[in-house]
Amino acid sequence: MEQKADVSGKLYIVGSPIGNLGDFSPRAVETLKTVDFICAEDTRVTAVLLTKFDIKKPMISYHEHNARQRGQEILPRLLEGESCAVVTDAGMPCISDPGEELVKLCAEHGIEVVAVPGATAAMTALAVSGLPTKRFCFEGFLSVTKRIRREHLEQLKALPQTLIFYEAPHKLKNTLNDLLEVLGDRRISLCREMTKLHEEVQRGTIAEMVKLYGEREPRGEYVLVVEGAGESPSEELTLQQAADLARELISGGMKASEASREAAKRSGYSKSDIYKELQSTNQKS
């Protein structure tokens, strides 16, 4: 397998415009012109991009419904020395996108993967949201199933990081209602159709957005940027609850010491007491 990898081609992860074709980089254009073939989420959408930049390369469809089958077809071609670019309809492949499966497959077989960065709707929306950008948690699309969606939100409600979600127009109203019920009324920024003709950024509270979209129909694709959890009054938390809060922060990516420090700020208990409680609970389990 290692000998094959030595002569293999490369997989290029190429970011495409999220709306405005003028955002397509010269490097991305050059990459698509030099690869042997292109894997596209929707070949019809990508054909518009290729025509705009006079790129003539064979395409194959690669999306969530055929990713496993296509991966087994693409892998031998890469191992034999061909090069391939993966593009999505809009934004950076592998971010809430099946391209991650192809990257994993290449990593397992020693095939080099090269990123050609482009725009992402999540980072673009975060930048204009008016909410804290230093720490954030990207959660992609929430489930269409109400129970799973609410369970997901329950896991996030104590996180102090700014939360970022993608949402389709037909699901927006239900998602806003669940955000309000589970997370409470927080600041939110709804970023619609980023970089496109009808781009719109709406800032307010979740309750205000529930009211707004009770009177108007959602249109276009949305990025929801939601304020993280605020501080909880110390008298409402026991030491065990403070440790549970720290544990939720750890599951969100924090180190134990950092999570204990944050939980201490929000609970009134000392960092060392919370850390000890964490260790004690871990040992019991």
Side-chain angles (χ1 to χ4, degrees), residues 255-268:
K255 295 181 179 179
S257 59
E258 184 181 6
S260 297
R261 184 183 303 112
E262 181 64 30
K265 290 179 183 178
R266 295 167 55 180
S267 69

Side-chain angles (χ1 to χ4, degrees), residues 63-237:
H63 48 74
E64 62 177 327
H65 302 298
N66 69 2
R68 186 179 297 275
Q69 172 195 340
R70 283 287 194 258
Q72 296 306 315
E73 296 172 5
I74 295 165
L75 180 62
R77 297 180 64 175
L78 292 171
L79 289 171
E80 291 170 5
E82 290 189 78
S83 59
C84 168
V86 177
V87 297
T88 185
D89 289 351
M92 198 67 191
C94 307
I95 308 299
S96 285
D97 176 82
E100 66 177 306
E101 295 297 326
L102 190 54
V103 172
K104 179 182 177 182
L105 194 61
C106 287
E108 291 172 350
H109 290 80
I111 296 170
E112 184 177 357
V113 179
V114 179
V116 181
T120 62
M123 296 301 96
T124 304
L126 178 63
V128 300
S129 68
L131 293 171
T133 62
K134 186 175 182 180
R135 295 176 58 203
F136 56 88
C137 186
F138 173 66
E139 294 295 319
F141 287 97
L142 289 165
S143 173
V144 296
T145 304
K146 184 177 182 68
R147 177 183 59 80
I148 298 176
R149 186 168 64 244
R150 291 175 69 93
E151 288 176 354
H152 188 168
L153 293 175
E154 286 285 352
Q155 295 173 357
L156 303 174
K157 69 178 182 180
L159 297 182
Q161 299 98 319
T162 299
L163 305 174
I164 307 173
F165 305 94
Y166 287 159
E167 198 51 276
H170 66 279
K171 290 170 49 190
L172 181 66
K173 291 183 180 182
N174 287 337
T175 294
L176 287 173
N177 284 323
D178 285 346
L179 287 172
L180 182 59
E181 290 182 29
V182 178
L183 303 184
D185 197 15
R186 306 181 182 185
R187 289 187 296 162
I188 187 173
S189 175
L190 267 63
C191 303
R192 183 174 76 90
E193 296 288 272
M194 299 305 298
T195 78
K196 300 176 185 176
L197 179 62
H198 299 292
E199 176 179 337
E200 181 181 31
V201 178
Q202 298 164 310
R203 302 180 184 90
T205 67
I206 299 175
E208 288 171 343
M209 296 304 161
V210 167
K211 183 175 186 245
L212 175 65
Y213 281 97
E215 302 168 350
R216 63 184 282 189
E217 284 302 311
R219 297 180 184 278
E221 300 298 320
Y222 290 81
V223 182
L224 281 56
V225 186
V226 184
E227 183 178 31
E231 296 188 2
S232 301
S234 59
E235 64 270 19
E236 292 185 2
L237 294 181

Side-chain angles (χ1 to χ4, degrees), residues 239 260-261 263-264 267-275:
L239 179 57
S260 297
R261 184 183 303 112
S267 69
Y269 292 99
S270 70
K271 172 188 171 184
S272 60
D273 284 344
I274 294 173
Y275 190 82

